[in-house]
Amino acid sequence: MSVQISIEDTGDVFPCAETKHLLAGMIQLGKKGIPVGCRSGGCGVCKVKVLSGDYISKKMSRDHVTEDEERQGVVLACRVFPQTDLKLSVIGHLQKAIMR
Amino acid sequence: MAMTGILRPGHVQLRVLDMEEAINHYCENIGLIETDRDDQGRVYLKCWDEQDKFSVVLEPSDRSGMDHMAFKVATEQDLWRFESNVKNFGIETKRVPAGELNGCGERVRFVGPAGHTFDLFAEKEQVGNMVGTTNPAPWPRGLKGMEPIRFDHCLLYGNNFDENLKFFTEALEFQLTEQIMDGDVRLAAFLTCSTKAHDVAFIRHEESGKLHHASFLLGSWEGVLKAGDIISMEDIPLETGPTRHGLTRGQTIYFFDPSGNRNEVFADDSYVYPDSPVLTWTADNIGQAIFYHSRQLVDSFMGVTS
Ligand code: FES
Ligand SMILES: [Fe+2]
């Protein structure tokens, strides 16, 4: 079964299997919209806010998602397995290459 | 003995979100060997060709990243000499008692100007590599995964970059081997305490105390390719490679552990002597400096840390 993931900010929409995390679903289809980093819940670049829909999430580094944020649906896309269609907005971003 | 003072990276303690997944990654996939566990739930690992009891410690945590990196010094006198060097540089030190990590002697601990915690120690239990010391075989049978030879270096991102470089070269007596220069601003510094292309390296960054990667040495380019095979077979998040670095000339591949800490395995990098000139890569050529073939920067490689 797959569900629809829509990214509010960019209008990107992609299907994602319930067995795959959001980033894996996005990458597999060559889609963009959420920044991609470690794909393991440690770097924080894929941080999103779930605006609607249900999901299961795996452990995320507390450096990037506080307990409070987690309660408000702020999650790392690479740790989120959608259970229904999801609407998201993107919070994370890739840092500039090297800082001067 | 020509090599004195700080000898080598002794270990890195990495924070992991799920210990079972981490052990599977580091032992089954990379191929480190478990040597101990302690009552804090930490797991001790080593590569096959290391004499010391451990070179990687996995620490259960609710966040990712590097807890500390430790260097082995040659003698106890060195330990106290560097302790006073660090203090004289204006950085506080503290002593971590022997046995806080199983098999490790007393450590001198401090936070470098770029925000990373470092330890120095003179003693660690030696358990031997896996081929012994009498008529040793060239390699042991039964290795797993990528068959790493040793924990080699860390690349760290941090602020106070220039002060940090001064600290490492002056107080800790490291040698600058390679650098990336943007005019007269140094963006990257590769440093050795031995004759390696680097034992630790730093990138100029706005946040403090970040880990870019912990790296393990492999025996050959063939090994790097095989690591790539394992990464795909086991569905490990690959970042880039197999390819070659301009900097250090290493043949390399990058991937992430299940907590988002970046790993590298590599082969065949360059070496220095104390009288070797510093090698410079210019910022206008940074693509080639980092990925020699594609000459293209990879966004996540430049911007993602743990
Ligand atoms: S990509 Fe690193 S936390 Fe999701
Ligand atoms: Fe490296």
Side-chain angles (χ1 to χ4, degrees), chain A residues 21 23 34-47 60-61 64 75-79, chain B residues 256 259-260 304-305:
Chain A
H21 63 71
L23 273 198
I34 309 173
V36 177
C38 67
R39 287 152 280 163
S40 302
C43 75
V45 302
C46 67
K47 195 167 175 175
M60 302 172 266
S61 177
H64 303 297
V75 288
L76 301 174
C78 65
R79 302 299 258 189
Chain B
F256 292 94
S259 305
V304 166
T305 57

Side-chain angles (χ1 to χ4, degrees), chain A residues 2-80:
Chain A
S2 83
V3 297
Q4 291 294 318
I5 312 301
S6 33
I7 304 173
E8 288 273 292
D9 330 55
T10 59
D12 287 299
V13 179
F14 59 90
C16 182
E18 291 159 341
T19 52
K20 280 207 180 334
H21 63 71
L22 296 183
L23 273 198
M26 186 189 82
I27 295 165
Q28 193 177 35
L29 295 168
K31 299 270 183 182
K32 296 208 160 53
I34 309 173
V36 177
C38 67
R39 287 152 280 163
S40 302
C43 75
V45 302
C46 67
K47 195 167 175 175
V48 296
K49 183 168 166 85
V50 178
L51 305 171
S52 68
D54 297 331
Y55 55 89
I56 297 172
S57 60
K58 278 182 71 179
K59 211 166 164 188
M60 302 172 266
S61 177
R62 281 281 172 241
D63 277 349
H64 303 297
V65 178
T66 64
E67 283 173 50
D68 241 23
E69 285 180 314
E70 198 175 337
R71 274 193 292 273
Q72 292 161 28
V74 173
V75 288
L76 301 174
C78 65
R79 302 299 258 189
V80 164

Side-chain angles (χ1 to χ4, degrees), chain B residues 252-282:
Chain B
T252 180
I253 187 165
Y254 287 91
F255 52 100
F256 292 94
D257 82 3
S259 305
N261 300 310
R262 191 187 279 97
N263 299 141
E264 174 189 31
V265 293
F266 78 101
D268 276 338
D269 60 347
S270 57
Y271 60 90
V272 295
Y273 290 107
D275 59 348
S276 298
V278 177
L279 306 182
T280 299
W281 295 84
T282 53

